[in-house]
Amino acid sequence: MAITLVNPAGLPEIDVYRQVSVASGTRLVFVAGQVAWDAEGATVGAGDLAAQVEQCYVNVGTALAAAGATFADIAKLNVHVVDWTPDKMPLLLDGIARASARLGVTPAAPATLLGVAALDVPEHLVEVEATAVVD
């Protein structure tokens, strides 16, 4: 395994991610920000943050697979949410849980959540990018 996830003593343990990832692989995989598009480019879950989060994570999984990687190889995730407010957290977590169940994975890499004013098109509510390291 090229990635070791750690919650160091002295930092809080967060349920949905670890505070640190240590990479020892030899190939970097950079996944462009994935939005809630299906394979044909149609937006999935218009107006539904949880559905869009789920589709974004599924798309990240598809992109990783094309590079010979999996969620276990992710060193860092960045999640961009339009008009973020803390009351949206349950929807975000629901979307991650749905994607996890659908993909059979538990995304736990260090993650940064950023509120943004807008994304590429008005119907997109979230974008997820990933950096992975593989042997």
Side-chain angles (χ1 to χ4, degrees), residues 31-43:
V31 177
Q34 296 298 304
V35 293
W37 278 328
D38 65 13
E40 288 75 41
T43 298

Side-chain angles (χ1 to χ4, degrees), residues 9-28:
L11 294 177
E13 288 194 24
I14 308 297
D15 291 338
V16 294
Y17 67 88
R18 302 302 173 266
Q19 295 283 1
V20 176
S21 65
V22 179
S24 60
T26 57
R27 271 190 322 129
L28 294 175

Side-chain angles (χ1 to χ4, degrees), residues 89-110:
M89 185 61 81
L91 295 170
L92 179 78
L93 295 176
D94 180 44
I96 293 170
R98 288 163 41 179
S100 296
R102 191 167 155 191
L103 296 167
V105 301
T106 303

Side-chain angles (χ1 to χ4, degrees), residues 14-132:
I14 308 297
D15 291 338
V16 294
Y17 67 88
R18 302 302 173 266
Q19 295 283 1
V20 176
S21 65
V22 179
S24 60
T26 57
R27 271 190 322 129
L28 294 175
V29 178
F30 298 95
V31 177
Q34 296 298 304
V35 293
W37 278 328
D38 65 13
E40 288 75 41
T43 298
V44 173
D48 182 343
L49 180 60
Q52 288 200 18
V53 169
E54 177 183 4
Q55 186 64 43
C56 290
Y57 274 76
V58 167
N59 290 350
V60 167
T62 300
L64 289 169
T70 70
F71 273 87
D73 299 310
I74 294 177
K76 180 74 168 69
L77 286 169
N78 290 318
V79 180
H80 307 266
V81 182
V82 174
D83 297 326
W84 175 258
T85 55
D87 63 311
K88 294 180 181 178
M89 185 61 81
L91 295 170
L92 179 78
L93 295 176
D94 180 44
I96 293 170
R98 288 163 41 179
S100 296
R102 191 167 155 191
L103 296 167
V105 301
T106 303
T112 298
L113 173 61
L114 300 165
V116 297
L119 292 171
D120 59 330
V121 295
E123 57 268 17
H124 289 158
L125 304 175
V126 62
E127 184 169 333
V128 179
E129 62 179 303
T131 300

